[in-house]
Amino acid sequence: MSPLHAKLLRDLWRIKGQALAIIVVIGIGVALQVMMSGVIASLTQTRDAYYQRHQFAEVFAGLSRAPEHVASRLRAIDGVAVAQTRLRGLALIDITTRDLPINALILSLPGGAARPLNEIMLTSGRMPEAGRLDEILLLDSFAKAHGLGPGDNLRVTLNGARRQFEIVGTALSPEFIYFAAPGELVPHDARFGVIWISRPALAAALDLEGAFNEVLITLVRGARSEAVLDRVDRILDPYGAPGSYDRDEHPSNRFLNEEFKGLTASARNVPPVFMLVAAFLLYIVTSRMLQSEREEIGLMKAFGYTDAEVGGHYLQMVVLIALAGALFGSVLGVAMGRLIIPLYAGFYKLPFLLFRLDLAAFLSGLIISVGVASLGGVVVLRRIFRLTPAEAMRPPAPPDYSRAGHVAQALLERFDQPTRMVFRRIFRQPWRMLGAVAGIAAGMALSLSMLIIYDGFDEALTRTFEVIDRSDASVSFTAPEPYRVIYDLRRLPGVMRVEPVRNVPVILRKGRREFSGAITGLSTDAELFRALDADGAPIPLPARGIVLSSTLARILDAAPGDVLNVDIREGRQPEVQIVVAAISESLLGSPAFMEIDALNRALDEPGRVSGAYLSVSDGDEAAVHAALRDMPRVVGVSLRREARAAFEVIMDQGAGSARFIMGLMAFAITFGIIYNAARVARDERARDLASLRVLGFHRGETAFVLLGELAVVTLAALPIGLLVGRFMSHMIAAGFSTDLYQIPVVFAPRAQGMAIAIVVGAALASGWLVKRDIDRTDIITSLKTRE
Amino acid sequence: MEPTSDRGDVPAFRASGVTKIYGEGRSAVHALRGVDLEIRNGEIVVLLGASGSGKSTLLNILGGLDRATDGDVWFRDAHLTAMNDRALTRYRRDHVGFVFQFYNLMPSLTARENVELVTEIADHPMSAAEALELVGLGARVDHFPAQLSGGEQQRVAIARAVARQPDVLFCDEPTGALDSRTGRAVLRVLQDVNAKLGTTVLIITHAAATAAMAHRVIHFADGAIRKVEVNASPAHAEEIIW
Ligand SMILES: Nc1ncnc2c1ncn2[C@@H]1O[C@H](COP(=O)(O)OP(=O)(O)OP(=O)(O)O)[C@@H](O)[C@H]1O
Ligand SMILES: [Mg+2]
């Protein structure tokens, strides 16, 4: 082994403590990137494979009723590969554990078709036997949420008639991965059921013998769905079809895409912040590391080693550390990915898992780490190379205290010698100290912004379910009802307040941008559900015009005063123009609000409501629920408590769940940075400390010199960390916000206090570890080696 | 003994008007105040002078480790003071061996590896083991500097300098930490190298007795040469009285 290689390895061994800390910090940066991109790649690929293997349809159309022979006309459309018909109905499920009925979809089983579209996958039990009219399959996630399985009975109200079915199996389906019950914003496994039953049984129940009311279509490769949609609509129009749609508009797929988009956004935007902090530390540390090799570098140059040879040798050292970090990060990222991806796959109800890692994430992590380490190295080496070898071999000159130093000097004289040593060193090497301060501040900022994000999720829940929505329940009707239904509700015993609401599905357009959602009509004196501005103050709904949520305003690029084209997708489906009156703050979904009478005027349907918000006095819930389930026009009742729980599940198990692991990683990075700072100080000062011991200072006093420095650096980092953290949290909050929900940035004192506690705790732990290390080292050995 | 010279009249070093000022303004230190000097090839020259008189500074400039503030220095035909960094590196690599006042060993390398660090980039080096044998450290080749005494570290530094068999050897107090017997042995090594290879040797010392082995003795004071003595019959290292 050449002496240079031996030197390299031994030097690395000597600084193993600080090197390890850097490896961990970079490793975590890279691991997060590798893991998150692996999650995205694996989930997307698994979803696509699932869709393909189970022949998820590409075009969907519902209708009131058409004779079966119409299907052959659909099959003849240019671009259609397969078209299959089925029956679909709405049902209510009675569950003993809930005093309100649950909405369900009931579908006919394909029965005999060679390769059915939207093919289900049995997860337990068996298929219903042909000819048995009372055997059903139940959606797996719904069955699990209610503890139901094969052998259990289910009471269902179908087409006004109560029936009892026997569950013979549970199943998964690519069309019901993830979707919300009608009238609900957020999916909730327990709140929406899917039942499959043999076609003859359903045909009998719905009076659809020899007919169909839904068609599923796949396209030949390369066919344009727009053209097919158009032809399908023309054929089905006479049969009461509201319009066909493709996968982009399919509720489950659309929701899943939103979630994946959210995950992708946090995978794209958050890990780079971590990587930035890791790279920043790497830069500081590598430059400091080489700075302390300055005398050796001078010596090698004195022997006639060229700049390139010397530079190559020292760069190897920092690059090896960076490489080790990147490799460790990849291994860690893959390991964590393997742990976490199945959890996501379970949450998104994917029946199998294709595990894939994203090479690009690994490579970019590698390139960034090695690049930054080299950059830090080259910058310092260039500075050292500018010195003559004689200059480099001398320790750097102490600073000139003659000018500005007087005050500092006078101040110093008031302290004892070890305290003076602490401060002198800080004045002497201000850049090194500033580097350490900046590193710790960056680490702290990262932890703080994750804590702020945690608070942001809580705040999103609080604002949505305690400030904006203050109802106990919301009721939706089968069809728009005359206003007097509100009075009916008000008369129910236990109901304290009822407010009308009119929800209308619409497509909002401005220029080339469009959004398909709904307009919520509220009364001007609404209390239970309100549109609020950014400060939480209610926005008075104007007699004309629409109030857009900030998310929607962003999607449409609309501001107050702009005119939107609104395509109403209900009733006579008019197209109207509405001016934007104000922007509201909303953290959940992308709602739009209008004054209910103004909305009804635009629809030309005065005095209609589609639902109501209720507040119920404590203790009367059961009675009110019982009354509601007997009201024929009520199609669904959703409880704020349940909606909140559903939202929490989405945040904690869906895309938002990444925040937990990221938080842990942020804390680990913070600790790594602080421990590194402590180790660097110790390695640089081993000799000084030994000299102090020789001069008769106690262990405690000696350690004080070192730990005092760490304390000063840490304290200086705290305010900077708080400041940078505020800034950083905006970047991370944007990364965690999806189209479904927004994460607000709130600077709670608690988060700031926690961040300070984390940093101080890490400093104490590092100090203790380093002190233990000092106590163990042999004075003489330290004295003989260089500083 | 006669100085061995194979290059006729061209001296090994020629310096004229060399000054060196550290710092500037009120805190400026004039370490060298116009040094004129000629050193012949194959000479052993001893530099004597009070602490702080500028000896190490001069050695650093002659050795291409530092730049003069003013004046010219030639090594043979090469104008050192006009060279760029790359050329100076080349010069140090091809011609110069150093023994530093503070030894300057690499702490993470063993004695042998410290020597190998320079022989690796030399043209005709002796082996590291051979060089350490010369300074009486044959048995300690695998020890780290921290495991060696001060004097032993100094001898490793000398082994390191002679091992590359340079044209010029600069020794800044090579025997400062050694007892008389070892000190003499080390001076022997320098004398042998000079005799066998014709290496020009410059020695800084506080031990005036060492001057006995020099061909010439330069007395230094206050950044300038005060006196040059020529020694017609240099003593053998072994005969030096400590
Ligand atoms: N980097 C520097 N900055 C300022 N002054 C310096 C520097 N290096 C040396 N000096 C000063 O230059 C003068 C000459 O120093 P030099 O090291 O050449 O002395 P020396 O003759 O080798 O002394 P010694 O025998 O003690 O080693 C001294 O006064 C010293 O304080
Ligand atoms: Mg000196």
Side-chain angles (χ1 to χ4, degrees):
Chain A
M1 191 163 45
S2 93
L4 276 185
H5 287 142
K7 177 172 168 345
L8 181 64
L9 293 183
R10 291 192 198 121
D11 285 345
L12 281 173
W13 180 247
R14 178 171 56 84
I15 57 165
K16 55 186 176 301
Q18 39 166 311
L20 213 66
I22 308 169
I23 288 173
V24 168
V25 170
I26 301 172
I28 288 175
V30 173
L32 195 59
Q33 200 156 308
V34 168
M35 179 192 84
M36 288 305 289
S37 62
V39 166
I40 305 301
S42 302
L43 288 181
T44 321
Q45 221 177 31
T46 304
R47 175 199 62 194
D48 293 347
Y50 183 29
Y51 281 178
Q52 205 201 343
R53 290 186 203 171
H54 287 250
Q55 302 221 77
F56 185 42
E58 288 162 280
V59 168
F60 311 80
L63 50 144
S64 314
R65 176 199 183 99
E68 190 60 36
H69 64 79
V70 174
S72 56
R73 287 171 57 202
L74 296 171
R75 290 186 190 105
I77 295 173
D78 216 23
V80 169
V82 180
Q84 289 178 5
T85 64
R86 68 178 181 185
L87 306 182
R88 171 195 186 107
L90 285 173
L92 291 174
I93 297 178
D94 266 325
I95 297 269
T96 45
T97 50
R98 193 173 185 272
D99 56 12
L100 284 166
I102 298 171
N103 293 88
L105 204 57
I106 185 160
L107 295 172
S108 63
L109 282 163
R115 281 293 319 268
L117 302 184
N118 294 5
E119 189 179 14
I120 57 165
M121 188 173 112
L122 267 189
T123 48
S124 71
R126 57 169 176 85
M127 295 294 285
E129 269 170 38
R132 292 291 303 267
L133 298 184
D134 60 342
E135 290 185 349
I136 58 163
L137 296 180
L138 198 58
L139 185 65
D140 183 73
S141 51
F142 179 81
K144 281 198 183 113
H146 292 284
L148 294 169
D152 291 331
N153 288 327
L154 199 67
R155 278 188 321 198
V156 175
T157 308
L158 180 57
N159 214 12
R162 293 200 180 204
R163 291 154 193 268
Q164 176 125 329
F165 290 123
E166 188 196 343
I167 302 168
V168 295
T170 60
L172 290 175
S173 158
E175 65 182 312
F176 302 113
I177 293 181
Y178 207 57
F179 72 118
E184 309 242 343
L185 214 43
V186 168
H188 189 348
D189 284 353
R191 288 284 289 113
F192 195 60
V194 177
I195 297 167
W196 286 272
I197 190 166
S198 74
R199 187 155 175 168
L202 192 55
L206 299 175
D207 289 330
L208 283 170
E209 279 102 347
F212 67 95
N213 66 358
E214 188 175 31
V215 63
L216 308 174
I217 295 172
T218 53
L219 304 178
V220 295
R221 194 174 282 274
R224 281 179 52 243
S225 66
E226 295 84 21
V228 174
L229 289 173
D230 222 43
R231 298 286 313 277
V232 170
D233 283 349
R234 247 182 284 159
I235 294 172
L236 294 182
D237 198 48
Y239 304 101
S244 55
Y245 54 98
D246 59 9
R247 273 191 195 174
D248 288 344
E249 293 295 315
H250 184 275
S252 165
N253 182 56
R254 183 172 166 182
F255 213 100
L256 197 65
N257 282 350
E258 291 298 337
E259 271 286 295
F260 283 11
K261 241 166 65 190
L263 258 180
T264 310
S266 47
R268 275 231 190 91
N269 301 327
V270 183
V273 178
F274 281 60
M275 202 58 217
L276 195 79
V277 170
F280 181 60
L281 175 80
L282 187 62
Y283 180 85
I284 292 174
V285 169
T286 48
S287 49
R288 184 166 180 180
M289 211 146 67
L290 293 191
Q291 193 63 49
S292 66
E293 303 290 329
R294 168 180 150 155
E295 289 157 50
E296 281 196 353
I297 292 171
L299 184 63
M300 286 183 64
K301 288 198 63 186
F303 294 145
Y305 277 93
T306 61
D307 287 0
E309 286 164 337
V310 178
H313 171 68
Y314 285 97
L315 281 184
Q316 268 177 30
M317 179 154 126
V318 293
V319 164
L320 268 178
I321 293 176
L323 265 178
L327 289 180
F328 165 68
S330 310
V331 172
L332 184 70
V334 171
M336 290 194 317
R338 283 189 177 275
L339 280 178
I340 197 176
I341 291 171
L343 297 182
Y344 277 118
F347 181 67
Y348 294 124
K349 307 184 193 81
L350 300 171
F352 56 89
L353 193 57
L354 301 177
F355 196 82
R356 223 201 94 196
L357 283 163
D358 192 20
L359 194 67
F362 161 69
L363 282 181
S364 74
L366 192 76
I367 291 168
I368 292 174
S369 345
V370 170
V372 165
S374 314
L375 182 71
V378 166
V379 168
V380 174
L381 286 171
R382 277 175 54 122
R383 211 159 49 219
I384 296 177
F385 288 160
R386 271 205 292 274
L387 304 174
T388 65
E391 285 165 336
M393 284 167 71
R394 269 193 301 269
D400 189 359
Y401 287 119
S402 52
R403 273 161 292 162
H406 276 314
V407 186
Q409 192 70 357
L411 263 173
L412 276 184
E413 253 135 54
R414 309 183 53 168
F415 294 106
D416 64 349
Q417 203 55 39
T419 314
R420 270 191 242 176
M421 284 184 73
V422 171
F423 283 107
R424 199 165 281 138
R425 176 162 151 101
I426 288 167
F427 292 136
R428 240 177 228 193
Q429 301 181 317
W431 289 112
R432 283 191 196 187
M433 295 304 128
L434 280 182
V437 168
I440 295 177
M444 173 174 180
L446 195 61
S447 283
L448 175 61
S449 42
M450 287 313 299
L451 290 167
I452 289 177
I453 294 307
Y454 287 181
D455 282 351
F457 275 84
D458 291 344
E459 179 70 12
L461 277 177
T462 311
R463 274 198 219 165
T464 306
F465 293 105
E466 281 166 34
V467 182
I468 295 176
D469 184 353
R470 301 189 290 187
S471 70
D472 292 310
S474 65
V475 171
S476 42
F477 305 119
T478 32
E481 291 285 323
Y483 195 87
R484 94 182 97 74
V485 72
I486 298 297
Y487 302 116
D488 295 345
L489 288 171
R490 276 190 191 142
R491 272 197 298 275
L492 295 180
V495 170
M496 297 194 298
R497 190 179 170 91
V498 181
E499 289 175 6
V501 61
R502 174 91 203 253
N503 274 309
V504 183
V506 292
I507 297 177
L508 301 167
R509 291 202 176 84
K510 192 202 148 209
R512 311 192 59 192
R513 295 172 182 245
E514 64 169 48
F515 180 80
S516 103
I519 297 178
T520 302
L522 300 171
S523 59
T524 42
D525 59 350
E527 297 254 312
L528 299 180
F529 193 93
R530 303 168 300 167
L532 302 179
D533 67 15
D535 299 323
I539 298 178
L541 293 174
R544 295 187 54 232
I546 187 168
V547 175
L548 298 184
S549 58
S550 50
T551 0
L552 189 49
R554 206 159 36 238
I555 293 170
L556 295 174
D557 189 25
D562 289 347
V563 175
L564 304 182
N565 287 313
V566 182
D567 239 2
I568 291 168
R569 314 280 288 170
E570 195 184 279
R572 284 188 305 279
Q573 311 216 358
E575 251 189 78
V576 295
Q577 298 198 322
I578 305 179
V579 66
V580 177
I583 307 296
S584 77
E585 192 64 22
S586 171
L587 302 173
L588 181 56
S590 310
F593 304 100
M594 282 179 78
E595 201 278 314
I596 189 165
D597 295 331
L599 178 59
N600 280 331
R601 263 199 309 280
L603 289 164
D604 206 8
E605 291 179 2
R608 296 267 158 174
V609 299
S610 65
Y613 286 100
L614 268 60
S615 87
V616 177
S617 59
D618 286 347
D620 288 333
E621 289 90 353
V624 172
H625 295 173
L628 288 176
R629 64 188 295 166
D630 291 336
M631 282 181 76
R633 286 164 299 197
V634 170
V635 70
V637 178
S638 98
L639 305 179
R640 187 177 52 117
R641 168 170 50 80
E642 286 180 346
R644 179 180 178 137
F647 193 29
E648 249 172 295
V649 167
I650 291 270
M651 284 178 153
D652 292 352
Q653 292 174 33
S657 64
R659 73 185 187 275
F660 297 114
I661 198 154
M662 288 179 181
L664 283 182
M665 292 180 136
F667 305 151
I669 283 187
T670 308
F671 181 81
I673 290 178
I674 294 172
Y675 180 66
N676 173 271
R679 282 303 300 222
V680 169
R682 181 221 172 281
D683 289 347
E684 284 177 358
R685 306 202 74 189
R687 200 185 143 100
D688 280 2
L689 299 180
S691 308
L692 280 178
R693 296 269 286 120
V694 171
L695 292 176
F697 285 92
H698 295 299
R699 285 223 166 102
E701 290 167 318
T702 321
F704 174 80
V705 173
L706 190 66
L707 301 184
E709 176 186 324
L710 182 63
V712 171
V713 166
T714 306
L715 287 178
L718 292 178
I720 305 176
L722 287 179
L723 214 72
V724 178
R726 284 177 167 234
F727 170 73
M728 213 181 258
S729 60
H730 284 285
M731 292 201 277
I732 296 186
F736 271 109
S737 296
T738 68
D739 279 0
L740 177 64
Y741 55 78
Q742 304 292 305
I743 299 307
V745 173
V746 279
F747 303 109
R750 199 184 54 133
Q752 309 197 20
M754 286 258 287
I756 292 175
I758 287 172
V759 168
V760 171
L764 288 176
S766 305
W768 180 76
L769 285 172
V770 168
K771 175 165 183 332
R772 205 183 50 162
D773 201 63
I774 298 173
D775 292 347
R776 279 194 195 149
T777 37
D778 176 31
I779 306 176
I780 304 300
T781 317
S782 313
L783 267 186
K784 271 188 169 174
T785 44
R786 63 176 183 145
E787 29 180 12
Chain B
M1 249 196 289
E2 284 295 318
T4 40
S5 167
D6 49 5
R7 280 176 180 79
D9 289 347
V10 185
F13 288 99
R14 214 149 34 87
S16 67
V18 177
T19 60
K20 175 74 183 179
I21 304 171
Y22 289 112
E24 48 193 61
R26 282 202 298 143
S27 56
V29 177
H30 291 257
L32 296 179
R33 304 164 184 268
V35 174
D36 301 313
L37 160 96
E38 219 176 86
I39 293 170
R40 270 169 276 160
N41 284 297
E43 260 191 323
I44 296 181
V45 175
V46 164
L47 224 59
L48 287 175
S51 174
S53 57
K55 307 179 296 291
S56 296
T57 304
L58 179 63
L59 217 65
N60 283 344
I61 291 173
L62 295 181
L65 293 182
D66 212 347
R67 290 187 176 277
T69 309
D70 202 2
D72 295 289
V73 178
W74 274 269
F75 169 69
R76 294 178 184 162
D77 295 323
H79 192 182
L80 288 188
T81 35
M83 281 183 179
N84 62 14
D85 281 349
R86 185 183 292 271
L88 276 178
T89 301
R90 203 69 237 171
Y91 158 68
R92 292 194 299 269
R93 186 175 184 130
D94 293 343
H95 302 288
V96 182
F98 279 106
V99 178
F100 297 105
Q101 190 169 1
F102 305 106
Y103 326 148
N104 294 61
L105 299 182
M106 293 277 182
S108 54
L109 294 182
T110 62
R112 182 215 306 275
E113 288 162 346
N114 260 290
V115 177
E116 281 170 353
L117 187 64
V118 299
T119 57
E120 226 189 26
I121 55 168
D123 280 339
H124 323 281
M126 51 173 108
S127 81
E130 200 182 333
L132 287 165
E133 198 64 58
L134 272 182
V135 295
L137 284 178
R140 308 297 298 276
V141 291
D142 290 325
H143 285 85
F144 287 96
Q147 298 168 308
L148 297 172
S149 76
E152 285 163 347
Q153 292 185 39
Q154 191 159 34
R155 282 186 278 158
V156 175
I158 290 162
R160 182 173 65 182
V162 299
R164 72 193 315 180
Q165 313 212 28
D167 293 328
V168 207
L169 202 49
F170 294 103
C171 308
D172 202 341
E173 301 189 33
T175 55
L178 305 181
D179 64 277
S180 58
R181 215 164 61 87
T182 337
R184 272 197 290 270
V186 160
L187 292 179
R188 250 305 293 283
V189 172
L190 297 179
Q191 210 166 38
D192 281 355
V193 169
N194 167 264
K196 284 202 202 113
L197 306 169
T199 304
T200 309
V201 181
L202 243 91
I203 304 172
I204 293 179
T205 181
H206 286 285
T210 311
M213 67 180 274
H215 297 113
R216 276 194 304 155
V217 181
I218 297 176
H219 291 267
F220 225 74
D222 259 342
I225 296 175
R226 284 296 121 115
K227 190 171 79 175
V228 180
E229 281 176 277
V230 179
N231 192 351
S233 52
H236 206 272
E238 242 100 275
E239 302 158 7
I240 291 173
I241 301 138
W242 223 260

